[in-house]
Every structure is written in structure tokens, then in C-alpha cells.
Amino acid sequence: MKISLTNAQRKVYSIEESLKMLKDAGFDGVDFQIFGEAQEALARPDYLAFFEKIGNYAKEIELEIAQTHAPYPSYVEEKSDEENEEIFQTIAKAVLASGKLGSKYVIVHPPVFPERKYDRLKEENREYGINFYKRLEPYAKEAGVKICIENMWNY
């Protein structure tokens, strides 16, 4: 059995420091959060090299990046189509980055319409979600990762 935990550097520690602390505390793996510094790195032109370096560091200290967690939300109703496309592209980069980290799995929150309660917008939201994940498929194949869908609550 492997014991894993989320890395939550939250700008207190660097990514490498947070990984080392987890390893030193006896953890075998990490649910690598692509938030904060890691999410900001997705905007860099060298983001794949950035994540590959972190993945190599994790291997060096023998800490498995068991899975990653892509940025969220994946859809914001108040935003324009262009802004939601930017969100999608950030998530697509996170999928590619997950492969560079050495993870086999990336968790992606589904796009949930705010008005999706009970049976309202059930089919419309389902169709949007299926198309969303289908668009991510080529990125996952390129990165060699599987997309895991976060189980989301809604009414």
C-alpha cells in the first residue's frame, strides 16, 4: 500500500520544498495540485520543461506523483466564450504538464452549469461535458495520461 497526500504549497514553500517535506514525512506519493505557482507556470513558454524538472526532482527523491489535479473551474457561466476557451487551454496545458511530471492520471473537474440543479439543464450540461472531455482527449494521448473526472456535487 502507498500513502499519498496533496501538496499544498500555497506560496509558503516552493514546489520542491513541499515535495521534499512530504517525502521526509514518510509519504510515498502526492496528488500534485496544479494551482498557485504551478498554475502560473502554465503561462510560461517553457512550461513543459518547468514541469519535467519537477517530475525529475520527484523521481530523484523517490516521491511518486500519483496523480495531478488540473486547475478549476473548467467553465464559468459569467465569462465569455473566449474566456472559457482560455480556461480550456489552461487545462489542456495542465494535462500535458501532468505527463511531464511523470503522472499517469490527471483529475479534471467537469464543467457544471450553475443552473444545473435537479433535472434542469441535465442533458445540455451532459452534452457540454462530453464535448469538453473529447476535446481534451488528444492532449491526454500526447501526454500519456488518463483523465479522471472529479465527482462533483450538485443538487
Side-chain angles (χ1 to χ4, degrees):
M1 177 171 75
K2 293 182 180 183
I3 300 173
S4 187
L5 186 70
T6 299
N7 73 315
Q9 71 268 8
R10 304 287 188 240
K11 296 192 179 190
V12 175
Y13 301 101
S14 72
I15 292 171
E16 290 86 353
E17 288 171 323
S18 71
L19 296 177
K20 182 75 167 98
M21 287 190 302
L22 289 173
K23 181 63 181 176
D24 290 347
F27 290 96
D28 304 305
V30 62
D31 172 0
F32 189 94
Q33 307 287 296
I34 304 180
F35 308 139
E37 179 186 353
Q39 184 172 349
E40 291 166 9
L42 294 173
R44 296 169 45 165
D46 67 337
Y47 77 97
L48 291 175
F50 174 89
F51 285 98
E52 186 172 29
K53 180 181 172 199
I54 292 169
N56 288 336
Y57 176 73
K59 284 179 194 163
E60 178 184 312
I61 65 169
E62 298 180 351
L63 183 70
E64 178 185 3
I65 298 184
Q67 63 189 33
T68 65
H69 223 104
Y72 67 90
S74 54
Y75 171 82
V76 179
E77 183 178 45
E78 297 80 28
K79 294 193 179 279
S80 68
D81 289 344
E82 293 80 19
E83 290 169 311
N84 275 303
E85 180 59 23
E86 286 178 29
I87 291 171
F88 175 85
Q89 292 302 323
T90 297
I91 292 170
K93 285 181 173 184
V95 170
L96 294 172
S98 297
K100 293 297 182 183
L101 286 167
S103 179
K104 295 178 185 168
Y105 307 99
V106 56
I107 299 166
V108 178
H109 284 232
V112 178
F113 298 165
E115 295 300 315
R116 166 67 187 102
K117 294 180 177 128
Y118 306 108
D119 284 335
R120 278 188 285 165
L121 300 177
K122 182 178 180 179
E123 289 308 313
E124 295 88 342
N125 202 155
R126 184 176 188 278
E127 182 179 336
Y128 188 93
I130 288 170
N131 290 332
F132 175 85
Y133 286 108
K134 280 183 179 179
R135 288 183 62 207
L136 285 175
E137 184 178 8
Y139 299 96
K141 284 183 178 179
E142 180 180 338
V145 300
K146 292 182 173 133
I147 295 174
C148 304
I149 301 173
E150 179 82 18
N151 57 334
M152 298 298 292
W153 64 94
N154 75 2
Y155 300 100

